[in-house]
Amino acid sequence: MRHPHTRTTPRGLAAALTAGLLCAAGLATPASAAPAATPAVPASPALADGLALTPPMGFNNWNSTHCRAEFNESMVKGIADLFVQKGLKDAGYQYVNLDDCWALPNRDADGRLVPDPARFPNGIKAVADYVHAKGLKLGIYTSAGTKTCNSAGFPGALGHEYSDARQFADWGVDYLKYDNCNNQGVDARQRYRTMRDALKATGRPIVYSICEWGENKPWEWAADVGHLWRTTGDISDSWSSMLSILKQNLPLAPNAGPGHWNDPDMLEVGNGGMTDTEYRSHFSLWSVMAAPLLIGTDLRKASQATYDILGNKEVVAVDQDPLGKQGTVVSSAGGRWVVAKEMKDGSRAVALFNESGTAQRIATGAGAVGLPAADGYTLRDLWQHRTYNTAGTIAATVPAHGTVLLRVQADPRWAAQPPAVELGLDSSPLLEAAAPTTLTSTVTDLGRTPAQQVSVALTGPAGWTVRAASATTAAALPTGGTLRTDWRVTAPAGTPTGSYGLTLRTRYRSPSGTAVTGEVPLTASVVVPPPGGTSYLGDLPWLSATSGWGPVERDSSNGENAAGDGHPLTVGGTVYAKGLGVHALSDIAFYTGKACEKVTADVGVDDEKDTKGTVAFEIWADGTKAASTGVLTNAMPARPLTADVTGAQVVRLVVTDGGDGIDSDHADWANARLVC
C-alpha cells in the first residue's frame, strides 16, 4: 500500500478515474478523521436474493501479499486448509477471496480472462473446487474499469461485464469484489448496476462487494445493487488508519442491514503494525459495526494471539447477529467512546473504546444503551468470557487504545451471577524517579448484589517499591460502594523516563460464595519536571507520541517511514532549525507538572508536500483545548500559535487532518517552545 503522499483524495478524483490510482489493489483515498457532518440518508431497498443476510466473513490476500509471487494456488489452498484446522470455519468464516493479480495482463483472442498460469497452473475452477470441498466458498476480484487498480494494469470488466460474470460463475466463484479504477468516467451507479445485472443473469448466487471507496455515497443508493459497499479508502496496518476509518463508518449505521452492509475494509489483525490490544479494539469495533470480517493477514504465519482474536466466537456473534443492526455512538467525549448495538435477543453489545494514549474510565448506563428498566441486568465480558450482574451501570477502566466489549441484557436470572466490580485509579500515574508518589486505587461494586471479602493489590515493575498506605480489604461492598486504597509508589533512582506497567488486582466473593478475580493493566509514566525558563519542546522528553505515518521527528519533517528520514522543517519557504515534524493524525504529550505557563510555535504544512496537505493544529492543557488554528493548507505561510497552559500537568500537541482525510498531511510544529 502506498504512503499518503501518493494517495488520491476527492480533490484529485477526476484524474484518478482515468489514471487508476486507487483502492483495494492497494492504493486508496484517505479516510476522514471525524464522523460525517451530515446524517446518513436511508438506503434504497435491499436485494431480495437471500445472500449476505449477515456480514460476509472470510479472507482476502491483499493486505498481506499484495501482488508478490507468494500469492498463488498453493497459498489459497493453504488458507482454506487453515480455516478448517484452526477452527475459523467453525467460527463462521467461509469466503477465501482472491484479490488483484490473479489474471494475465491481456485477454485471450475470444476476449476471455486468462488466469496467470504461473500463479494458478490448474486454473481458478480447480481452486474453487478445492475450496468448495472444504465446505468453504471462493471469491475473486476485478474492477469496474478497463484495467484493475494494480500498476501492471490487469484487465478490468468495463464493457465485458456479462462475459466476465459468466466466466466467474462457470469457475464456481461465490463472491465478487468489484473495484473502481480506470472507469473512464462512466457513472458509478451505471457501472455497478451493469455488473449486478450480469451476475444475476448467470443464475449463480454470488455475493457482490462494491469497492468504490465511498466516493459516490453508495450507502445512499447501492442497497439494491450490491450486498456490501466500501465506505472509505483502503485501510492500512496502523492505529491512525484504523481510527480514521472507524470514525468515517460509524455515522452510517442507518444504512446497514441484512443483505446490505457498510464495509470499512478488511481486517489488519496480525499484520504487525499494531499491538494485540489495538487489534482487539479493531476486531471489537468492526464487529459492533456489523462490518464484513475479512481476514487480511497471512494465516500461514499468524501467531496464536492472532488466532485467538479472529476466532473469538462471542465477538463474532456480535457481528453476525441476525437482526443486522450496526452499532451507534452513545457518547465519545474525551476519546471515551461508547458504541451500542441492538441484538435480536433484546440484549445490547456495548463497546467501551478508549481512543486515548492513557487508561481512562468509560461509563454508561443500561438506559443509555437502549435497555428497558429492570431490577438487574446480566453483563457478559466477551474477551474475558465471564458473566456478572449489574444494577445498571456499565463501566470499566479501559487501557490505552483498548476496548472492553460487553453484552448486557435485562435478565430475571441476574442474581445467579456475581456482582460486576470496577477497578481503577483516581488519576494518571505520573512519577518522578526516587520520589514517593501516592496513587489511589478504587474497587467499586456495580452489581445489584454485594461483593464480599474484597481485597485489592497493586504491583509494579521489578525493583519498584509499592506499599499500601490504607486498607486493602473490605468485608463487603454494597451496590455503588467503593474500597479506596492509597499506595506509596517509588521508582528507583535513575529510572529512565518512559512508560512502565502496573497491575491492579482484586479478589472477592459473591453472596453465594463464588470466588471472583479481576485485574486491570495500567501504565505508569516516569517523568522529569520541565526546566525553568524557555525550552524547545523538541529537546524535552515526551510522555507519548503518535503519528499517522512514521514516527514523530525532532528538528526535522516527517518522512513517513523510519526515524530520521525527514528533511529540514520548511513552511512557506522558511526553514526552521528547531521543532517537531509529524503526520496527521498525531498527538504528542509532555509532562509540565503544573509549573509552566505558555506554549508557542509557528505551525503549518511542510513544503515538501507540494500543493497537498490540509491540517489543523490544537494545543491541549490537561483536558481543555487551549488553542487551535482551524484548517491550514500547504499554500499558507506558517501561523503563530500560542496557548496559556498555566496549571496544567500535561500538555498535548495535536494535529488533525482538517476534515478531508489523511492525505499528504505533513505538519510542522516549528520553533515549538515551552515557557516555565
Side-chain angles (χ1 to χ4, degrees):
M1 187 169 295
R2 294 194 183 182
H3 296 309
H5 64 273
T6 60
R7 294 183 177 185
T8 307
T9 68
R11 291 169 291 176
L13 179 61
L17 295 178
T18 55
L21 295 177
L22 297 176
C23 200
L27 313 177
T29 56
S32 170
T38 56
V41 176
S44 50
L47 292 168
D49 55 15
L51 296 178
L53 296 182
T54 59
M57 296 175 60
F59 166 87
N60 180 293
N61 66 282
W62 186 261
N63 287 352
S64 57
T65 69
H66 300 280
C67 241
R68 295 190 294 271
E70 62 187 301
F71 168 50
N72 57 30
E73 179 177 317
S74 175
M75 177 197 178
V76 174
K77 291 181 176 179
I79 296 297
D81 293 342
L82 287 168
F83 266 33
V84 177
Q85 295 167 12
K86 295 292 189 177
L88 294 174
K89 176 185 174 185
D90 289 341
Y93 295 90
Q94 58 178 329
Y95 292 98
V96 181
N97 294 347
L98 319 182
D99 213 286
D100 206 354
C101 308
W102 60 267
L104 287 179
N106 297 299
R107 296 174 180 270
D108 67 14
D110 297 320
R112 294 169 57 87
L113 297 165
V114 182
D116 184 338
R119 296 183 189 271
F120 297 96
N122 297 299
I124 302 301
K125 187 178 188 307
V127 177
D129 290 346
Y130 186 91
V131 169
H132 292 157
K134 299 281 182 180
L136 302 169
K137 298 180 179 181
L138 186 80
I140 207 162
Y141 163 98
T142 188
S143 179
T146 51
K147 298 285 186 180
T148 66
C149 291
N150 187 267
S151 58
F154 298 100
L158 189 64
H160 297 265
E161 291 89 350
Y162 282 84
S163 60
D164 287 358
R166 183 73 262 164
Q167 275 193 271
F168 298 152
D170 290 345
W171 288 339
V173 166
D174 307 289
Y175 182 112
L176 173 65
K177 177 179 178 179
Y178 203 38
D179 217 335
N180 194 30
C181 293
N182 301 293
N183 59 46
Q184 311 306 319
V186 178
D187 178 73
R189 300 188 192 198
Q190 176 184 335
R191 286 182 282 114
Y192 285 95
R193 284 172 177 160
T194 301
M195 180 55 83
R196 173 200 62 186
D197 296 342
L199 292 172
K200 184 178 180 180
T202 69
R204 181 175 180 81
I206 298 175
V207 170
Y208 183 26
S209 171
I210 293 173
C211 182
E212 60 85 79
W213 328 308
E215 293 294 348
N216 297 281
K217 298 183 179 180
W219 49 88
E220 295 182 0
W221 53 265
D224 64 349
V225 179
H227 301 99
L228 59 154
W229 47 79
R230 282 278 294 279
T231 58
T232 72
D234 282 1
I235 194 170
S236 62
D237 186 22
S238 72
W239 174 255
S240 177
S241 173
M242 189 280 289
L243 183 62
S244 163
I245 285 177
L246 168 77
K247 292 180 179 181
Q248 193 170 11
N249 194 68
L250 277 169
L252 305 179
N255 304 105
H260 57 288
W261 306 104
N262 294 317
D263 178 8
D265 204 6
M266 297 172 283
L267 296 167
E268 291 284 4
V269 176
N271 281 331
M274 290 184 265
T275 66
D276 286 342
T277 295
E278 292 168 339
Y279 283 139
R280 278 189 292 273
S281 286
H282 181 15
F283 194 67
S284 298
L285 294 164
W286 261 231
S287 294
V288 86
M289 289 194 299
L293 299 180
L294 294 175
I295 297 167
T297 194
D298 188 341
L299 292 171
R300 300 171 301 172
K301 306 170 185 176
S303 67
Q304 186 57 50
T306 294
Y307 277 108
D308 290 344
I309 294 170
L310 297 171
N312 187 327
K313 292 182 180 180
E314 293 195 79
V315 178
V316 167
V318 171
D319 180 82
Q320 294 292 296
D321 185 71
L323 185 62
K325 293 274 191 171
Q326 179 174 322
T328 57
V329 177
V330 177
S331 60
S332 61
R336 298 180 299 273
W337 292 79
V338 178
V339 184
K341 181 181 193 292
E342 182 181 357
M343 306 288 280
K344 187 175 183 180
D345 66 358
S347 67
R348 296 295 187 275
V350 181
L352 307 178
F353 165 54
N354 181 8
E355 176 186 346
S356 77
T358 58
Q360 294 199 90
R361 180 181 191 263
I362 304 176
T364 188
V369 301
L371 289 169
D375 290 337
Y377 305 83
T378 54
L379 181 154
R380 176 76 172 173
D381 188 311
L382 304 187
W383 288 107
Q384 292 185 1
H385 307 296
R386 295 179 180 176
T387 304
Y388 307 91
N389 79 69
T390 175
T393 298
I394 302 166
T397 296
V398 184
H401 295 184
T403 299
V404 173
L405 187 61
L406 308 166
R407 190 158 177 174
V408 188
Q409 61 185 329
D411 186 344
R413 300 164 297 176
W414 57 266
Q417 304 298 334
V421 163
E422 179 189 356
L423 286 167
L425 291 180
D426 268 0
S427 59
S428 297
L430 302 172
L431 303 84
E432 296 179 17
T437 300
T438 298
L439 304 178
T440 302
S441 67
T442 58
V443 182
T444 302
D445 184 358
L446 305 180
R448 179 63 72 191
T449 54
Q452 300 174 340
Q453 302 176 40
V454 180
S455 64
V456 65
L458 181 68
T459 56
W464 286 39
T465 301
V466 182
R467 292 193 178 94
S470 63
T472 61
T473 62
L477 294 176
T479 299
T482 298
L483 169 63
R484 302 175 66 85
T485 304
D486 292 334
W487 304 87
R488 299 288 281 174
V489 181
T490 308
T495 301
T497 59
S499 298
Y500 297 84
L502 301 176
T503 303
L504 184 63
R505 296 183 175 89
T506 188
R507 295 177 183 272
Y508 62 98
R509 289 185 177 273
S510 71
S512 64
T514 301
V516 183
T517 61
E519 69 176 48
V520 172
L522 301 167
T523 300
S525 297
V526 174
V527 297
V528 294
T534 301
S535 303
Y536 285 108
L537 282 167
D539 295 337
L540 300 180
W542 50 58
L543 287 174
S544 62
T546 60
S547 182
W549 292 80
V552 174
E553 298 283 5
R554 299 182 189 270
D555 303 331
S556 73
S557 67
N558 175 272
E560 297 190 3
N561 290 302
D565 64 350
H567 302 96
L569 298 162
T570 309
V571 182
T574 301
V575 179
Y576 299 85
K578 303 293 291 183
L580 296 159
V582 301
H583 193 300
L585 306 168
S586 71
D587 191 329
I588 317 169
F590 293 90
Y591 175 68
T592 49
K594 302 182 179 180
C596 301
E597 304 163 3
K598 186 169 61 174
V599 171
T600 63
D602 295 319
V603 298
V605 178
D606 195 277
D607 286 357
E608 66 190 354
K609 296 321 297 174
D610 301 322
T611 59
K612 292 185 178 181
T614 59
V615 298
F617 292 80
E618 301 171 352
I619 300 175
W620 289 73
D622 290 332
T624 301
K625 187 189 296 185
S628 61
T629 61
V631 177
L632 304 182
T633 70
N634 178 272
M636 298 178 180
R639 176 174 298 183
L641 184 63
T642 300
D644 182 350
V645 297
T646 303
Q649 189 171 42
V650 174
V651 167
R652 294 167 49 229
L653 307 184
V654 175
V655 176
T656 71
D657 66 4
D660 66 347
I662 45 174
D663 179 28
S664 303
D665 291 339
H666 288 213
D668 294 344
W669 293 91
N671 285 338
R673 287 168 288 191
L674 178 67
V675 180
C676 303

